[in-house]
Amino acid sequence: MSSDGTAGIALVGPGECLVWSAEAHWVPGLLDLLDEGERERCAQFRREEHRGLYLTAHVLARRVVAAQLAVDPRDVTFVPVCKHCTEPQGRPHGKPTLPGTPLELSLSHSGRRVMVALTTAGPVGVDIEEITGQTDLPLDVLSAPERDELERLPVAERGAAFTRYWARKEAVLKATGEGLMVDPATLTVTAPAAPARLVEWRERPEPHLPVRLEDLDAGEDYRAAVAVVGDDDRVQVVQHSDVRVREDP
């Protein structure tokens, strides 16, 4: 690996959405790659595992973007943008953007895993969720067709199926920039065993449709998905194997 950690990172081609994943680790020496705001945010997490998740996700994001722009990861500038805020409110928040570039970025973390998606094809959202074994599922985030489908499954399969639903919905809401300001139950996606697709978004016309939605391989204990807003027939999703981010710069 090169001193800045960008060696071997693939470059995004026209119409491609690339997705990288990594195992989270707390490596204090990597804090040097973050900007001041990121370091402050990282320090706010009390538990080392949570600091490791944040650090790994942001280091991975910086490295994959730096590889595209042929710059040092420290020179990458992320500008959070919240589409629901017309004026700055408190700490900068919202979806990370890359002003002055055609790149669209999304990152996610859960459990011990992180994912980063990058494309020039349109707004992108990636989400990874750990299957926790929770039995008291928040079914109010599902649409009526999704709840009906979940209830048809054996009880032992419902946790993983719900997690699949949630990862798909989160990916779409991240891609559009809506986040959880929108009721997730207004979205309907395909059944967990079927190929991922956004079926309906009540009360929301285009341009939010079409959306290219695709499941990702996140390992046995996780479910993940990526969504790209735009012509879904022209977006190719390419998932790369795990990237090591443990090395100090």
Side-chain angles (χ1 to χ4, degrees), residues 4-14 16-20 60-73 76 78 98 100-105 116-120 238 240 243:
D4 64 7
T6 61
I9 292 178
L11 301 183
V12 177
E16 285 186 333
C17 174
L18 303 191
V19 181
W20 295 265
L60 180 57
R62 283 183 168 275
R63 284 177 169 170
V64 299
V65 172
Q68 315 303 313
L69 303 178
V71 300
D72 189 284
V76 173
F78 298 130
L98 295 157
T101 82
L103 297 170
E104 296 278 352
L105 170 75
V116 171
L118 199 65
T119 186
T120 60
V238 181
H240 293 273
V243 177

Side-chain angles (χ1 to χ4, degrees), residues 38 41 72 87 114 119 122 149 155 158 173 215 240 247:
E38 289 170 317
R41 175 62 176 145
D72 189 284
E87 297 180 3
V114 307
T119 186
E149 186 67 32
V155 173
R158 292 180 185 176
L173 292 172
D215 293 328
H240 293 273
E247 294 83 352

Side-chain angles (χ1 to χ4, degrees), residues 95 106-109 124-129 141 162-182 184 187 189 201 213 223-227:
K95 186 177 180 181
S106 182
L107 57 155
S108 180
H109 51 73
V124 64
V126 70
D127 191 64
I128 181 170
E129 300 289 340
V141 303
F162 175 87
T163 307
R164 175 74 77 193
Y165 272 136
W166 184 244
R168 290 173 176 177
K169 287 169 173 277
E170 275 269 45
V172 173
L173 292 172
K174 286 184 176 182
T176 63
E178 304 286 355
L180 295 181
M181 296 295 290
V182 169
L187 282 73
V189 297
W201 191 337
L213 180 60
R223 297 293 182 266
V226 64

Side-chain angles (χ1 to χ4, degrees), residues 205-211 229-230:
E206 294 185 10
H208 294 282
L209 297 174
V211 172
V229 178

Side-chain angles (χ1 to χ4, degrees), residues 42-230:
C42 189
Q44 291 174 0
F45 293 102
R46 295 184 177 181
R47 298 176 61 176
E48 181 176 300
E49 63 187 90
H50 295 157
R51 293 196 299 272
L53 276 170
Y54 182 92
L55 176 63
T56 303
H58 284 253
V59 167
L60 180 57
R62 283 183 168 275
R63 284 177 169 170
V64 299
V65 172
Q68 315 303 313
L69 303 178
V71 300
D72 189 284
R74 299 169 183 83
D75 296 330
V76 173
T77 299
F78 298 130
V79 177
V81 174
C82 175
K83 68 180 296 182
H84 300 286
C85 295
T86 57
E87 297 180 3
Q89 299 181 13
R91 182 174 60 85
H93 63 281
K95 186 177 180 181
T97 65
L98 295 157
T101 82
L103 297 170
E104 296 278 352
L105 170 75
S106 182
L107 57 155
S108 180
H109 51 73
S110 180
R112 298 298 304 165
R113 306 291 302 165
V114 307
M115 278 189 164
V116 171
L118 199 65
T119 186
T120 60
V124 64
V126 70
D127 191 64
I128 181 170
E129 300 289 340
E130 183 179 27
I131 302 171
T132 63
Q134 178 182 354
T135 56
D136 184 18
L137 301 172
L139 300 181
D140 58 335
V141 303
L142 301 183
S143 66
E146 291 167 341
R147 290 196 300 272
D148 290 344
E149 186 67 32
L150 195 70
E151 290 172 358
R152 295 189 186 99
L153 297 175
V155 173
E157 298 178 14
R158 292 180 185 176
F162 175 87
T163 307
R164 175 74 77 193
Y165 272 136
W166 184 244
R168 290 173 176 177
K169 287 169 173 277
E170 275 269 45
V172 173
L173 292 172
K174 286 184 176 182
T176 63
E178 304 286 355
L180 295 181
M181 296 295 290
V182 169
D183 182 0
T186 61
L187 282 73
T188 297
V189 297
T190 43
R197 183 170 60 87
L198 177 59
V199 177
E200 181 186 24
W201 191 337
R202 298 197 317 271
E203 305 169 4
R204 183 54 59 93
E206 294 185 10
H208 294 282
L209 297 174
V211 172
R212 171 64 182 273
L213 180 60
E214 188 164 321
D215 293 328
L216 299 168
D217 180 9
E220 182 179 355
D221 297 327
Y222 296 85
R223 297 293 182 266
V226 64
V228 182
V229 178

